[in-house]
Amino acid sequence: MSRRFRLEQVLRVRHLQRDIAAAAAGAAAARTVAARTCSEDVLEEAAAQSFADHGSPESFAAAVAARSASSARYQDALAALEEAEAAARAAQAAYTAAEGRAKGLQRLADRHEQAQRAADLKADQAVIDEHAGRARGRTTGVQGPAHLGLGSGLDSEAVPADDYSVRGNEPSGGGA
C-alpha cells in the first residue's frame, strides 16, 4: 500500500473549490442583505412623503411625481432584492455541491489514513513479536508456555525444560 493518498491533489482542489464557493455564497448573502436594506429604506422614504401642504396644483403635481418616482424606485429595489436572493440561492446550491464533492473524497482520504495507521500498527506489532521471540530464545533452560502448548497467556509461569510431568508424558524408564 502506498504511503501517500493518491488523490491528495484532487482533494486539495476540492477543498479550494469548496472554499471559493463558500466565499461566493457569503458575498451573495451580503448582497441580499444590502438589497433588502435598500428596499426598506426606499419604502420608508415613500411612506414619509405626504400630500398635506400642497396648495398649488404645481406642487401637488410635483408631489404626485415624487411619489410615483419613489414607487418606481421601490419596484426596482424589490427586483434587485429578488435577483440577489436568487443569486444567493444559486451560490448556496453551488457551495452545497462543492461541499458534497469534497466530503466524498475526504472520506476516501480518511479511510486511506486509517488503513495506513492499521498497517503501521501491524508492522510495529510484528517487530515487537520478533524481538520477544528472540528474547525468549536467548534464555537458557526455560521454555515458555507457547513451547509447552499451554496457550499464550502472559501470566503463565516458565517451566524448566526437563519437567516431564507438566507435559503429561512421563519417561518410561526405570524408576518411579
Side-chain angles (χ1 to χ4, degrees):
M1 184 179 287
S2 70
R3 296 298 302 168
R4 294 188 65 208
F5 182 52
R6 291 185 305 187
L7 299 175
E8 185 176 343
Q9 297 299 324
V10 177
L11 181 62
R12 286 182 184 162
V13 169
R14 294 280 169 89
H15 281 210
L16 183 61
Q17 289 171 340
R18 181 197 60 199
D19 294 344
I20 290 170
R31 284 190 298 275
T32 300
V33 169
R36 184 172 288 117
T37 302
C38 179
S39 68
E40 291 170 356
D41 291 345
V42 170
L43 183 62
E44 287 176 11
E45 181 184 306
Q49 294 175 350
S50 70
F51 292 107
D53 293 332
H54 303 293
S56 71
E58 293 84 22
S59 64
F60 182 75
V64 169
R67 186 78 159 199
S68 177
S70 293
S71 176
R73 283 184 40 215
Y74 182 64
Q75 292 302 321
D76 290 343
L78 285 180
L81 176 61
E82 288 178 18
E83 201 173 292
E85 287 175 340
R89 283 191 299 274
Q92 184 62 37
Y95 169 72
T96 302
E99 178 72 16
R101 288 189 304 271
K103 276 186 181 178
L105 203 52
Q106 184 63 49
R107 279 190 223 113
L108 286 176
D110 291 344
R111 284 186 199 148
H112 176 78
E113 185 179 334
Q114 289 173 351
Q116 286 297 327
R117 265 191 257 132
D120 289 345
L121 289 174
K122 187 175 180 180
D124 289 346
Q125 187 62 45
V127 169
I128 290 169
D129 290 346
E130 178 66 26
H131 286 307
R134 286 182 183 169
R136 185 174 301 228
R138 284 193 297 250
T139 58
T140 57
V142 177
Q143 300 293 325
H147 175 71
L148 299 175
L150 297 176
S152 61
L154 295 176
D155 57 345
S156 301
E157 291 186 22
V159 178
D162 59 348
D163 186 1
Y164 294 104
S165 63
V166 172
R167 282 188 247 150
N169 49 354
E170 301 277 331
S172 62

